[in-house]
């Protein structure tokens, strides 16, 4: 991903705020880069992933249930009154929508979030 994409994903104010971290990660060879100027792309060194016996692609498809619940809670905290489609788009489209829906329902049942509205108009917020 590019520095601008990473900046947006981390919700930082500017690319300059990200440079301190990127330079350090590049210095210790945890992250590598390719390209020049604005087209520079950053990625985790595949050799590092192999040496750590990392199994699988870097995707959210196999996210653990408790981590997904925490991710959903954080998203709903940052973006109150969100529809399930909005939450799904922000959390990750690689996670099946049905899994997002089940996890959100579990959070509602546990009383950790509240829902308002019906059917397509249902919105989720913190209590």
């Amino acid at each position: 991903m590019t520095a601008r994409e990473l900046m947006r994903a981390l919700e930082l104010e500017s690319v300059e705020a990200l440079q301190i971290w990127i330079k350090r990660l590049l210095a210790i060879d945890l992250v590598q880069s390719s390209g020049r100027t604005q087209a520079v792309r950053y990625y985790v060194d595949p050799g590092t992933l192999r040496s750590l016996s990392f199994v699988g692609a870097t995707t959210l498809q196999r996210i653990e249930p408790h981590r997904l619940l925490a991710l959903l809670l954080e998203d709903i905290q940052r973006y109150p009154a969100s529809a399930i489609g909005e939450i799904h788009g922000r959390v990750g489209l690689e996670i099946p929508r049905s899994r997002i829906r089940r996890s959100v329902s579990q959070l509602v049942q546990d009383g950790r979030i509240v829902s308002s509205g019906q059917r397509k108009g249902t919105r989720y917020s913190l209590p």
Side-chain angles (χ1 to χ4, degrees):
M1 81 179 12
T2 66
R4 289 187 193 279
E5 292 168 343
L6 184 56
M7 176 198 74
R8 286 186 200 109
L10 297 174
E11 298 180 3
L12 296 174
E13 296 292 322
S14 65
V15 175
E16 289 77 27
L18 181 67
Q19 290 304 316
I20 296 167
W21 298 99
I22 291 292
K23 287 180 183 178
R24 176 72 178 133
L25 294 173
L26 288 167
I28 61 174
D29 290 328
L30 184 61
V31 170
Q32 294 183 352
S33 65
S34 64
R36 292 185 179 198
T37 62
Q38 291 186 4
V40 175
R41 298 190 73 74
Y42 299 97
Y43 57 94
V44 177
D45 177 29
T48 302
L49 293 175
R50 278 191 295 278
S51 70
L52 297 172
S53 300
F54 181 79
V55 178
T58 54
T59 178
L60 292 176
Q61 283 182 327
R62 296 172 45 178
I63 189 170
E64 296 172 359
H66 69 280
R67 292 187 190 273
L68 178 58
L69 293 175
L71 188 60
L72 291 170
L73 277 173
E74 184 175 337
D75 181 76
I76 292 169
Q77 179 183 5
R78 288 182 187 216
Y79 303 96
S82 294
I84 194 82
E86 296 167 343
I87 296 168
H88 185 222
R90 287 189 300 263
V91 169
L93 295 175
E94 65 266 26
I95 302 171
R97 187 181 177 111
S98 58
R99 185 168 178 204
I100 298 285
R101 197 178 314 110
R102 278 192 307 272
S103 297
V104 167
S105 294
Q106 180 182 347
L107 290 170
V108 170
Q109 284 180 342
D110 294 345
R112 297 171 76 183
I113 63 173
V114 293
S115 64
S116 59
Q118 294 179 348
R119 298 185 186 228
K120 290 188 178 185
T122 304
R123 302 286 175 171
Y124 301 94
S125 300
L126 294 179

